[in-house]
Amino acid sequence: MKLDNWLAQRSQSCPDRVALVADGVSTTFSELEEEAQHAARRLTAYGVRRGATVAMTMRGGREQVVLIHALMKTGSVLLPVSPRLSDEERSRALKQCRVSIDLDEPDRLTRTEADMPLLGEHDMEDIHCRILTSGSSGAAHAVGLTYGNHLFSAMGSAYNIGIDPGDRWLCALPLSHISGLSIIMRSVIYGTAVVLHDGFDVDAVARSIPEQDVNVISMVSTMLLRLLDAGADLSAPRAILVGGGPVPQEALERALDRGANVIQTYGLTETCSQVTTLEVSEARRKVGSVGRPLLTSHLRILDGEILVQGPTVSSAALDSDGWLHTGDVGHIDDDGFLYVDGRIDEMIITGGENVVPAEVENVLTQHPEVLEAAVVGRPDPEWQQAVTAVLVLRNGGDLDIEEMRGHCSALLASYKVPKTFEVVDSLPRTPSGKILRSSLR
């Protein structure tokens, strides 16, 4: 099955509709198409060829979006690389993916344009990009995602939260991860606008919502917590998707109480973003759930592990029976709603008992002085692993350990209560916002 180039098609069907708001500039679909064509010809003159893997290491901005679309017109494969990677990590990623050309600055391109025809369509099975996983549970590896993966991912999201031609989806997530890149891709498929921020700034995002008429936002739990603490008005967007790991139930309830249409979502790099997303209408009744499977996605629980199947899944990640083993632990309730309980490799075994970190973290964040919490198991000669809580406190408060221990004891079994409490200024995270538990261990 052949797919028309999405940007070229949108430049014909809705040329004057805003496609992108970034770096203080609004760009229509026809303007974005024209810029992408020129950039594609410059890329070709620079040596980019069909099927070659092209690394792109730069901060999120208008120029990066133009180049993402330009690369599609050359038929090359995008490898977006986070500028936050160390030189060693970056070198390893480029070698692993056999990168032909490395673009680390837009002005590296020659102004000369090659007089060559641009690609106007793609096969569903053509590789569009290779995305490095977050590396939260080990060394990052690249996942190849096809144009078909992106199309079905966009379809699944659309059937869940709907589409309006006037939608403006705010993205303050890195484009080097599927959480950010998928917003760029689905918006051009839908013919809707992206409001792109170069990183997350609480004040900038809070201002952008009313000023740019933002009505859909994707974020991770840290962003939600900081916006809530800053008193940001989140009542206008029709959907605020929160993913990237467990979200404290207290934060979800606080957001809902303020009129925010906040819904949890669950996805992976290997599934081209969303697998499940809670519907806005179920946000209060099923708080804590990540929702039901989106259209074309299928779930099963095998020995506690979440398995996924469907056309959004990278074919290289499937087992012999056609299922992706996510490494996540979860359960499905009687209504078919998924709850993610944590990672298999994060399970703490203490004194012969199993402790799920997310359960303890939820209790910790219910304490009024705790902004964020991470729970890990540290080696211990008596307990095998000692449950350890690492906390970020609100407003630089002081930690009363006995009070915190009493708070946990009232809500948890004794073996789940942390043996140690530590306070830090911030939790170590991957560029996509996931907690780096290996650093905390």
Side-chain angles (χ1 to χ4, degrees), residues 168-172 183 195-197 205 208-209 214 216-218:
R168 290 189 165 209
W169 199 312
L170 189 149
C171 175
I183 297 172
V195 178
L196 182 65
H197 286 235
V205 169
S208 186
I209 294 171
V214 169
V216 185
I217 310 176
S218 292

Side-chain angles (χ1 to χ4, degrees), residues 6-55:
W6 292 311
L7 180 56
Q9 194 276 334
R10 282 300 172 189
S11 73
Q12 296 174 1
S13 63
C14 48
D16 299 324
R17 192 182 298 170
V18 173
L20 176 66
V21 179
D23 302 336
V25 177
S26 290
T27 307
T28 66
F29 279 104
S30 61
E31 291 169 338
L32 188 58
E33 166 68 4
E34 183 178 0
E35 289 189 49
Q37 285 189 19
H38 287 299
R41 292 192 173 98
R42 293 201 305 274
L43 285 166
T44 303
Y46 191 68
V48 172
R49 295 292 180 265
R50 186 170 184 171
T53 298
V54 178

Side-chain angles (χ1 to χ4, degrees), residues 254-307:
R254 190 151 54 109
L256 291 168
D257 290 342
R258 293 192 191 178
N261 293 313
V262 61
I263 48 178
Q264 272 193 270
T265 182
Y266 169 68
L268 304 92
T269 304
E270 292 86 352
T271 62
C272 200
S273 190
Q274 302 172 54
V275 174
T276 67
T277 301
L278 196 62
E279 296 176 41
V280 171
S281 61
E282 299 283 6
R284 178 72 70 175
R285 186 173 76 92
K286 292 292 185 177
V287 64
S289 169
V290 294
R292 293 188 179 105
L294 300 186
L295 181 73
T296 76
S297 291
H298 304 277
L299 291 181
R300 63 185 291 206
I301 305 295
L302 179 64
D303 298 328
E305 184 183 14
I306 301 170
L307 273 59

Side-chain angles (χ1 to χ4, degrees), residues 72-292:
M72 286 191 275
K73 294 181 181 298
T74 69
S76 54
V77 178
L78 167 68
L79 176 70
V81 181
S82 170
R84 294 176 56 183
L85 293 186
S86 67
D87 290 342
E88 182 182 346
E89 289 171 323
R90 186 170 175 276
S91 176
R92 186 165 58 243
L94 268 56
K95 182 178 180 180
Q96 176 192 140
C97 297
R98 299 179 180 177
V99 167
S100 301
I101 291 177
D102 181 15
L103 299 175
D104 53 4
E105 292 295 339
D107 56 12
R108 281 282 184 91
L109 293 180
T110 173
R111 305 312 296 178
T112 303
E113 296 186 15
D115 185 17
M116 293 180 66
L118 301 178
L119 207 61
E121 60 182 15
H122 305 277
D123 287 329
M124 289 272 282
E125 298 306 315
D126 285 348
I127 297 291
H128 164 264
C129 59
R130 300 189 190 281
I131 304 293
L132 298 173
T133 60
S134 65
S136 58
S137 57
H141 65 279
V143 175
L145 297 172
T146 65
Y147 285 86
N149 292 149
H150 283 295
L151 177 62
F152 282 106
S153 178
M155 288 171 54
S157 181
Y159 275 94
N160 183 60
I161 66 172
I163 307 172
D164 185 283
D167 278 347
R168 290 189 165 209
W169 199 312
L170 189 149
C171 175
L173 298 164
L175 301 188
S176 55
H177 289 266
I178 194 60
S179 54
L181 182 62
S182 64
I183 297 172
I184 302 298
M185 300 303 295
R186 72 171 67 102
S187 294
V188 75
I189 293 171
Y190 299 157
T192 56
V194 177
V195 178
L196 182 65
H197 286 235
D198 179 13
F200 175 71
D201 178 271
V202 173
D203 294 334
V205 169
R207 286 195 308 270
S208 186
I209 294 171
E211 290 177 1
Q212 301 295 342
D213 297 321
V214 169
N215 58 356
V216 185
I217 310 176
S218 292
M219 62 180 70
V220 296
S221 60
T222 305
M223 297 178 181
L224 178 63
L225 287 165
R226 299 198 182 283
L227 285 165
L228 290 172
D229 272 22
D233 184 358
L234 301 177
S235 61
R238 64 182 179 85
I240 299 174
L241 288 75
V242 187
V247 184
Q249 187 164 325
E250 178 270 341
L252 294 170
E253 291 173 344
R254 190 151 54 109
L256 291 168
D257 290 342
R258 293 192 191 178
N261 293 313
V262 61
I263 48 178
Q264 272 193 270
T265 182
Y266 169 68
L268 304 92
T269 304
E270 292 86 352
T271 62
C272 200
S273 190
Q274 302 172 54
V275 174
T276 67
T277 301
L278 196 62
E279 296 176 41
V280 171
S281 61
E282 299 283 6
R284 178 72 70 175
R285 186 173 76 92
K286 292 292 185 177
V287 64
S289 169
V290 294
R292 293 188 179 105

